[in-house]
Amino acid sequence: MKGFTAAFLIWTLISLNGGCSQAWPTHTACKDGSLEVLYQSCDPLQDFGFSVEQCSKQLKSNLNVRFGIILREDIKQLYLDITLFTKEESILSYSYPICEEDLPKFSFCGRRKGEQIYFAGPVNNPGFEIPQGEYQVLLKLYNENHSTVACANATVICS
Amino acid sequence: MMPTTRLAGILIPAMAFLSCLRPESWDPCVQVVPHITYQCMELNLYKIPNNIPTSVKELDLSFNPLRHLSSHSFSNFSELQVLDLSRCEIQMIEDNAYEGLNHLSTLILTGNPIQSLAMGAFSGLSSLQTLVAVEINLVSLEDFPIGHLKTLKELNVAHNLIDSFKLPEYFSNLSNLEHLDLSNNKIQTICHKDLQVLHQMPPFKLSLDLSLNPLDFIQQGTFKEIKLHELTLRSNFNSTDVMKTCIQGLAGLKINRLVLGEFKNERVIKHFDTSAAEGLCNLTIDEFRMTYFDDFSEDDISFFNCLANVSTISLVSLYLKRLEGLSKDFKWQHLKLTNSKFEHFPMLELDSLKKLVFTANKGMSTFIEVKLPKLEFLDLSRNGLSLKSCCSHSFWGTTRLKHLDLSFNDIITMSSNFLGLEQLEYLDFQCSNLKQASDFSVFLSLKNLLYLDISYTRIQIIFEGIFDGLFSLRVLKMAGNSFQDNSVPNIFKALTNLTFLDLSNCQLERVSQVAFGSLIKLKSLNMSHNRLLSLDLFPYKFLHSLQDLDYSFNRIVASNRQELQHFPSNLTSLNLTGNCFACICEHQSFLQWVKDHRHLLVGVTQMVCVKPLDMQGVPVLSFRNATCQMSKSVISLSVLAVLVVSVVAVLVYKFYFHLMLLAGCKKYGRGESTYDAFVIYSSQDEDWVRNELVKNLEEGVPPFQLCLHYRDFIPGVAIAANIIQEGFHKSRKVIVVVSQHFIQSRWCIFEYEIAQTWQFLSSRAGIIFIVLQKVEKSLLRQQVELYRLLSRNTYLEWEDSVLGRHIFWRRLRKALLDGKPWSPEGTADAESGQHEATTTI
């Protein structure tokens, strides 16, 4: 009886730890011989799917990416903030408007909360060679009310 | 033992389980605005919570597995205006589900896989204006039971499975409908009969969005005589041919705004042939917009002739390289060309054009003069343009220009002061590189200008008359420039109507006292991100309209009372964040001032200390005056303590003998002796003995009893006997007053010799010498013994000065107290000593 109680207690404590925390699993966006991109959702509300078609040290311009998510917010306007960290220090910060109300650029602009979106297509990135090292990239998508639409902590490992 | 274990076994997991549950479980919804707005998103609710007040107006139940809406589900919430049921896994909505919601204006059903929608599902919604039914597996509008919603303004059925554009008969009831979003459905063909109902609807009211439908055919004459407000067709056609037939199918349409194009990520037509747009000639269009077509055919832009009567044209991201051959008789009033690929500025000659927006065109650097006589609004921002001589009316062939935006360009050289452009009200040069702007009064003729932005234009302001002539100016933004000596000179003297001034990021170190003197209407001033060292408010003292002052991100350590007393009278907001505050006691008054004015300090909680190191990052507000008071009180306490100690020391010194008495607790006894001392002196010195010695010793503290021959010797007894009996026998000590007369007096020498003998016999060190006056050595030598004693022993010397007397009496008293019994025990000791002495004799 005692043994059973003790076992039950331990099990509860362990499951308590796992049950209450909301850390999303780490996914792989792409992996190649020299480049690996991992990401983890930092939006407490949801996880999402993301992948990059090509994955090479010599980053091509206009990369094809896939992105799927169920929206938690309307996205009449959508903005992307990218912050690049290396060794815990922010070295680059970039903000980019993705959706604007007047003549929106992408077909997913103006989608509604609760709607599922799937984007497969090129992104407007410049091509460059990634220097060797490990980088942290914080990507944050937010709408006109500054509500988070999606958030990801990505790790780029280039060897 | 067993029951306790069992109890613990139940209780602890239960507590663990409860702590794991989110508190929302029993009080689920977040109250955003009490009694009005409730947020219950994603709380795993299986039914509509019943603890929400009936007065609720906005209710968000999205992302809960409600699954099924039975009738009268919301009858408790009759005040409801906005109901969000996004992604609630609703498969079935029964009749009268929303019955009673007579005030509901917005119903959101996005993302529900509805399989069964009862015909009376939406009954009762008598005020509904917006219905969002996106991604609900809707197959046709025919079955959608919304015909009775007469108040409906917006119907969004995008992202469904609708394959027919047949607008059902009930649309004739929806006379208020303004927006119908059918984008991202499966509509392929549009037939004549589909739109017949539109003839029964109010003209030019409805906006239709058909984007992302795979259209391949529009029957000729379908849109004939149809009057729409807006029609959007983006990413609908998979080839130029299809597009051509479909646009021809639009013939006869009268429309306020037509939007054609694709999305950046949904490009289907690889090569856009302008012939596809020829059908536009058969439409009556007020505003035409075209966006995201790849490889726009360069040669033939004849289709623009079909758009000759359009008033507004937007061509965005079209990869246009040329726009020539437009007739000057075109009725175009507004033209927008954004994100194109012009290599040269288009030779535009349009008589009616009032507004030209030509922005973000890459690959163009040269500018040619255009002739647009009616132009009032010109936006040439973000083009990387270089202008060698700016700016005069000849450039754009207009004298009516009111709005000119040349921001985010390359080098713009100011060579003329806006000759012929006196009507300008808005002028923006932001982030272009302005040359020669500080050489002369560039803006002298712009007396109507209201808004001027020269932020980050790399001007070094030297010339004081730079803003002369701008009498009407309301807003001046000049952040990111620099000043000679990093100080603001008196450049604003003409700007008497200015209400907003931005001087941030100008490397300012000082502000001249007179710089802002004439800005009597200034309401908002931004001085942030400079290098100002102190918050000197004197230059703003007379700015009686100033409400908002931004001093953030400077180098202010603190400020003194004098500087702060010139506080502008109407200031309601002051920003001091990002400064280098030193939270030390020296600036206590400033830190207190911050606390007192926290109501008008913006982001006061973000004001943090930079110094000292242990306070780094700590909010200024949490600086406690007590720390300073503590050190002050420590200082005052220690000063007080030193004072007290010294006073006590002085008192102790002064009342040493009183204390000795007190410490002894009892009056000291004289033991065997009647007298404390027997005084041997010459009768010549009697005056001194009576007036000084007797007075000081017998009347002072402690009182000594002296044996004096004129007073204490018993008459009728021989002098020698008196000397021995009364003098030596009954006295503890002997005071010898040595003077000239003493040595000459026989009796004195006799007494002294007896005293010496007596001292020897009783073994008492009892003789105290007082040298009253200096005695000649030759005379003294006559008394060999005395001479020897005086040269060996310490004697007291009388000195007739205040300090000398004081020391004299102190020493004498001490000498007399020596060997005096203080307590009874002491007395006993003395007595036994006496006994011993006596027995020795």
Side-chain angles (χ1 to χ4, degrees), chain B residues 30 32 44 99 177 220 304 307 349 456 483-484 581 603 613 764:
Chain B
V30 179
V32 183
N44 216 15
E99 193 62 53
L177 197 66
Q220 276 291 335
F304 282 122
L307 301 167
E349 274 189 56
Y456 301 95
F483 290 90
Q484 201 176 24
F581 295 114
L613 274 180
R764 286 195 204 172

Side-chain angles (χ1 to χ4, degrees), chain B residues 587-600:
Chain B
H587 304 312
Q588 196 191 347
S589 67
F590 172 70
L591 298 168
Q592 186 57 44
W593 181 90
V594 168
K595 282 181 198 172
D596 296 343
H597 291 78
R598 63 161 81 183
H599 58 281
L600 56 82

Side-chain angles (χ1 to χ4, degrees), chain A residues 7-144:
Chain A
F8 187 65
L9 254 176
I10 290 163
W11 172 80
T12 322
L13 287 172
I14 291 167
S15 64
L16 177 81
N17 201 22
C20 284
S21 72
Q22 275 275 353
W24 298 105
T26 304
H27 308 283
T28 308
C30 76
K31 194 176 176 179
D32 200 5
S34 56
L35 187 74
E36 191 177 358
V37 181
L38 306 164
Y39 74 93
Q40 185 182 29
S41 171
C42 45
D43 180 358
L45 285 176
Q46 65 177 335
D47 199 0
F48 64 91
F50 176 78
S51 73
V52 187
E53 205 165 85
Q54 302 101 351
C55 198
S56 70
K57 217 170 147 181
Q58 182 66 49
L59 200 71
K60 286 179 184 149
S61 60
N62 299 325
L63 279 175
N64 279 315
V65 301
R66 291 159 198 268
F67 178 76
I69 194 170
I70 290 173
L71 292 173
R72 252 66 176 177
E73 300 287 341
D74 288 352
I75 50 166
K76 238 176 205 166
Q77 291 174 36
L78 185 67
Y79 303 91
L80 173 66
D81 275 5
I82 302 176
T83 318
L84 179 65
F85 296 88
T86 177
K87 294 177 189 115
E88 306 280 308
E89 261 188 67
S90 160
I91 51 168
L92 191 79
S93 218
Y94 181 69
S95 193
Y96 180 77
I98 294 176
C99 293
E100 288 161 308
E101 267 192 277
D102 190 37
L103 287 180
K105 204 183 270 185
F106 297 102
S107 59
F108 53 78
C109 296
R111 294 290 177 93
R112 312 292 304 229
K113 170 184 173 184
E115 201 172 350
Q116 188 175 0
I117 60 171
Y118 174 72
F119 172 83
V123 288
N124 196 8
N125 69 296
F128 60 93
E129 194 183 330
I130 303 169
Q132 215 167 28
E134 192 175 319
Y135 308 93
Q136 263 71 44
V137 189
L138 177 67
L139 297 123
K140 211 173 161 187
L141 285 166
Y142 56 93
N143 71 357
E144 62 272 26

Side-chain angles (χ1 to χ4, degrees), chain B residues 761-779:
Chain B
L761 284 174
S762 66
S763 317
R764 286 195 204 172
I767 301 178
I768 300 163
F769 293 100
I770 297 172
V771 178
L772 199 60
Q773 46 195 221
K774 286 273 178 216
V775 181
E776 271 178 46
K777 276 199 174 165
S778 56
L779 208 59

Side-chain angles (χ1 to χ4, degrees), chain A residues 1-2 5 8-9 12 16 19-20 45 70-72 96 102-108 111-116 119-120 124, chain B residues 2 9 12-13 16 19-20 41-42 60 62-63 84 86-87 110 132 134-135 159 184 234 263-266 289 292 316 336:
Chain A
M1 179 65 197
K2 267 185 194 173
T5 316
F8 187 65
L9 254 176
T12 322
L16 177 81
C20 284
L45 285 176
I70 290 173
L71 292 173
R72 252 66 176 177
Y96 180 77
D102 190 37
L103 287 180
K105 204 183 270 185
F106 297 102
S107 59
F108 53 78
R111 294 290 177 93
R112 312 292 304 229
K113 170 184 173 184
E115 201 172 350
Q116 188 175 0
F119 172 83
N124 196 8
Chain B
M2 275 304 273
I12 296 171
S19 67
C20 193
M41 187 174 167
E42 209 160 14
D60 182 354
S62 55
F63 295 89
D84 189 347
S86 301
R87 223 159 253 278
T110 309
V132 181
V134 173
E135 207 184 350
H159 202 171
N184 209 358
R234 290 182 70 178
F263 289 102
K264 196 178 176 184
N265 59 319
E266 303 275 355
R289 294 174 154 210
Y292 286 104
V316 176
K336 181 175 176 180

Side-chain angles (χ1 to χ4, degrees), chain B residues 154-369:
Chain B
E154 186 184 342
L155 176 61
N156 191 341
V157 285
H159 202 171
N160 277 303
L161 307 167
I162 300 167
D163 56 3
S164 162
F165 190 40
K166 173 88 177 80
L167 297 181
E169 280 302 313
Y170 63 74
F171 267 72
S172 56
N173 286 338
L174 310 179
S175 56
N176 288 302
L177 197 66
E178 289 173 5
H179 292 275
L180 174 58
D181 192 343
L182 274 162
S183 62
N184 209 358
N185 276 292
K186 309 282 176 207
I187 301 169
Q188 290 186 323
T189 55
I190 302 177
C191 302
H192 187 260
K193 60 178 185 345
D194 291 350
L195 301 181
Q196 286 311 304
V197 74
L198 284 178
H199 291 290
Q200 296 164 43
M201 292 178 74
F204 300 113
K205 193 163 189 181
L206 188 66
S207 297
L208 262 176
D209 192 346
L210 289 171
S211 301
L212 298 160
N213 280 291
L215 287 182
D216 53 28
F217 180 69
I218 297 178
Q219 196 179 6
Q220 276 291 335
T222 306
F223 284 89
K224 200 175 180 207
E225 290 302 315
I226 288 201
K227 300 177 176 98
L228 288 175
H229 176 67
E230 183 175 335
L231 176 63
T232 307
L233 294 167
R234 290 182 70 178
S235 295
N236 288 102
F237 316 111
N238 59 15
S239 74
T240 313
D241 291 337
V242 173
M243 185 175 171
K244 193 171 181 175
T245 26
C246 287
I247 285 179
Q248 277 165 355
L250 296 176
L253 177 67
K254 291 193 164 79
I255 189 162
N256 289 341
R257 185 188 293 145
L258 179 65
V259 184
L260 287 180
E262 296 192 321
F263 289 102
K264 196 178 176 184
N265 59 319
E266 303 275 355
R267 285 191 174 154
V268 187
I269 300 174
K270 291 282 173 238
H271 181 82
F272 177 71
D273 191 341
T274 49
S275 66
E278 276 169 6
L280 293 172
C281 286
N282 303 320
L283 275 71
T284 312
I285 307 167
D286 187 43
E287 180 180 348
F288 178 75
R289 294 174 154 210
M290 198 180 239
T291 182
Y292 286 104
F293 271 128
D294 258 336
D295 278 342
F296 211 85
S297 163
E298 283 178 41
D299 312 316
D300 186 18
I301 49 167
S302 56
F303 85 97
F304 282 122
N305 293 326
C306 294
L307 301 167
N309 293 322
V310 170
S311 73
T312 304
I313 292 219
S314 299
L315 303 170
V316 176
S317 303
L318 278 189
Y319 296 84
L320 265 179
K321 288 179 182 164
R322 265 193 265 164
L323 190 66
E324 262 102 46
L326 301 174
S327 163
K328 54 192 272 202
D329 303 326
F330 276 13
K331 300 266 165 54
W332 297 3
Q333 291 185 13
H334 297 184
L335 175 59
K336 181 175 176 180
L337 295 163
T338 297
N339 200 10
S340 297
K341 287 205 167 164
F342 286 98
E343 284 155 8
H344 310 285
F345 195 83
M347 290 248 279
L348 290 173
E349 274 189 56
L350 291 163
D351 283 348
S352 53
L353 201 67
K354 287 182 182 166
K355 179 174 173 176
L356 174 60
V357 177
F358 185 91
T359 58
N361 286 281
K362 295 174 191 89
M364 182 193 69
S365 59
T366 50
F367 182 82
I368 49 164
E369 294 186 6

